[in-house]
Amino acid sequence: MILNQLKDSILEGEAEITYDLTHKALSMGYPAQVILEKGLIAGMNEIADKFRERNVIIPEVLMATRSMHAGLSLLEPHLISSSPNKPGKVIVGTVAGDLHDIGKTLVKTMVMSLRIKVIDLGVDVTPKKFADAVRKEKPEILMISALLTTTMGVMKSIIEEVRQQSPSVKIFVGGAPVTEEFASEIAADYYFENAFEIRDYLKENYDKLFLRKD
């Protein structure tokens, strides 16, 4: 079955095969949400389990994430047009000075798999751009990523600027060099070690986070 093949391509970190199988599944009429959940996410879930059990290492997780990214590049237009979003909105972005997007893309995919609307600001995002986007879009959650030790400090500037204009938004931070202690120092609301933790937390606390009563 093609969805099982797709899942296996994620596990094996074969980005080109993932891309080709995703294209084939779409041409066969599989809905984008089904391909995402039964193929890409199923593969990443298995990688997450293996990672928690220390049966895979970080480079293998990154290869799987790149494969998922390849498939998602085909699915995203279909997901936006065909899958009704639940109430709630999340903005994601990587801080100024940092061009890494694998971790951010994985987080984005995990959030999208819950049918929560995601606005991706991309990489190398300045504090002002974050603040302007939050003011304009009014998300419940802002997720900030930094993959370099040298860019971690930008997170504090982002949080300060965002909170001047949008004090109610919840701010999640993460990335390889980020720690829970650092997140506390810069007054972030939440720190997560990986995208799977974020997905699980959003799933378990969806009502509290998104179904607010104004």
Side-chain angles (χ1 to χ4, degrees):
M1 182 180 180
I2 192 167
L3 296 178
N4 287 333
Q5 293 174 333
L6 191 53
K7 182 188 75 171
D8 289 343
S9 74
I10 296 290
L11 293 171
E12 293 163 7
E14 297 286 353
E16 290 185 10
I17 293 176
T18 299
Y19 184 93
D20 290 343
L21 288 171
T22 302
H23 185 273
K24 183 177 180 181
L26 285 169
S27 68
M28 292 171 67
Y30 283 91
Q33 190 70 32
V34 171
I35 299 171
L36 176 66
E37 293 176 0
K38 303 296 185 182
L40 304 186
I41 297 298
M44 290 308 301
N45 283 344
E46 199 161 323
I47 284 288
D49 291 340
K50 290 178 181 292
F51 183 70
R52 293 187 192 102
E53 295 164 3
R54 301 185 185 278
N55 290 327
V56 295
I57 57 178
I58 291 292
E60 292 173 285
V61 175
L62 291 177
M63 288 177 65
T65 304
R66 289 190 182 95
S67 297
M68 182 205 64
H69 196 175
L72 184 63
S73 68
L74 289 175
L75 290 183
E76 193 167 347
H78 299 274
L79 291 168
I80 292 170
S81 63
S82 65
S83 297
N85 288 311
K86 294 179 180 179
K89 191 184 296 182
V90 171
I91 289 179
V92 300
T94 301
V95 303
D98 200 324
L99 301 178
H100 293 82
D101 74 343
I102 291 294
K104 173 185 63 64
T105 300
L106 179 54
V107 168
K108 175 183 175 180
T109 306
M110 293 295 108
V111 178
M112 287 177 62
S113 75
L114 300 175
R115 297 196 178 186
I116 296 168
K117 183 176 182 180
V118 181
I119 297 170
D120 186 356
L121 300 182
V123 299
D124 194 24
V125 184
T126 64
K128 184 180 186 303
K129 187 173 179 180
F130 273 114
D132 288 348
V134 171
R135 186 181 67 253
K136 177 183 177 183
E137 299 292 344
K138 297 180 173 54
E140 286 80 7
I141 296 172
L142 170 64
M143 298 183 178
I144 309 170
S145 172
L147 277 295
L148 298 172
T149 304
T150 53
T151 61
M152 287 171 60
V154 182
M155 285 182 161
K156 183 177 181 180
S157 299
I158 292 167
I159 291 173
E160 289 173 350
E161 188 151 350
V162 166
R163 288 222 166 105
Q164 285 179 6
Q165 303 177 39
S166 309
S168 65
V169 67
K170 298 298 182 185
I171 300 178
F172 291 24
V173 297
V178 181
T179 64
E180 190 166 1
E181 290 74 20
F182 178 76
S184 179
E185 288 174 12
I186 62 175
D189 294 298
Y190 300 91
Y191 159 78
F192 292 94
E193 187 173 350
N194 58 62
F196 306 107
E197 288 185 0
I198 291 176
R199 180 202 56 192
D200 293 344
Y201 184 82
L202 294 182
K203 189 173 182 179
E204 292 168 8
N205 296 277
Y206 176 82
D207 289 357
K208 180 178 73 173
L209 292 167
F210 295 106
L211 299 184
R212 62 191 182 188
K213 295 181 180 179
D214 296 324

